[in-house]
Amino acid sequence: MDKGALLIIGVGFMGGSLAKSLKKKGFQAPIYGLDINPNAIEKAKYLKVINEGWVSYDKVPWKKYQMVIIGSWWKFIKEEGKYIYVWLLISIFLK
């Protein structure tokens, strides 16, 4: 296992920015990404903010990571038919 390996689920604007900030601040462990959008994975790899990425859950080597960060937009219904969007960030620490 890569020491301190991190998986970010959702590497678009928010997750990609998080990965970029970690790299910029000197985070040494490998960062991997999972996203349903192949363009987000390719861009994150091109910018060198993730080491590798996948678009399918079944391709991810889940036992490799010590921490998983799930970042996703959630849509909530507000009164009068308007929507509000909240970015949900969940960290899961693994052995």
Side-chain angles (χ1 to χ4, degrees):
M1 173 169 54
D2 295 322
K3 185 173 179 163
L6 169 65
L7 173 67
I8 298 178
I9 299 176
V11 293
F13 179 71
M14 299 298 278
S17 295
L18 174 62
K20 184 177 179 180
S21 294
L22 288 169
K23 293 279 188 176
K24 188 175 180 179
K25 295 289 183 184
F27 187 79
Q28 296 298 314
I31 299 175
Y32 299 93
L34 173 65
D35 200 297
I36 60 171
N37 182 349
N39 294 329
I41 294 292
E42 290 305 314
K43 184 174 182 179
K45 287 183 355 186
Y46 174 78
L47 295 173
K48 298 183 185 317
V49 297
I50 62 171
N51 296 74
E52 186 60 66
W54 301 273
V55 293
S56 178
Y57 285 95
D58 61 339
K59 305 272 188 213
V60 177
W62 290 102
K63 294 182 180 182
K64 186 175 192 161
Y65 312 105
Q66 290 187 337
M67 184 167 74
V68 175
I69 295 177
I70 303 169
S72 179
W73 285 101
W74 290 76
K75 181 169 68 170
F76 293 93
I77 298 175
K78 191 178 177 180
E79 290 181 20
E80 301 173 12
K82 295 180 182 176
Y83 295 100
I84 57 171
Y85 293 86
V86 175
W87 196 70
L88 180 64
L89 179 66
I90 301 170
S91 296
I92 303 168
F93 294 92
L94 307 172
K95 287 187 177 182

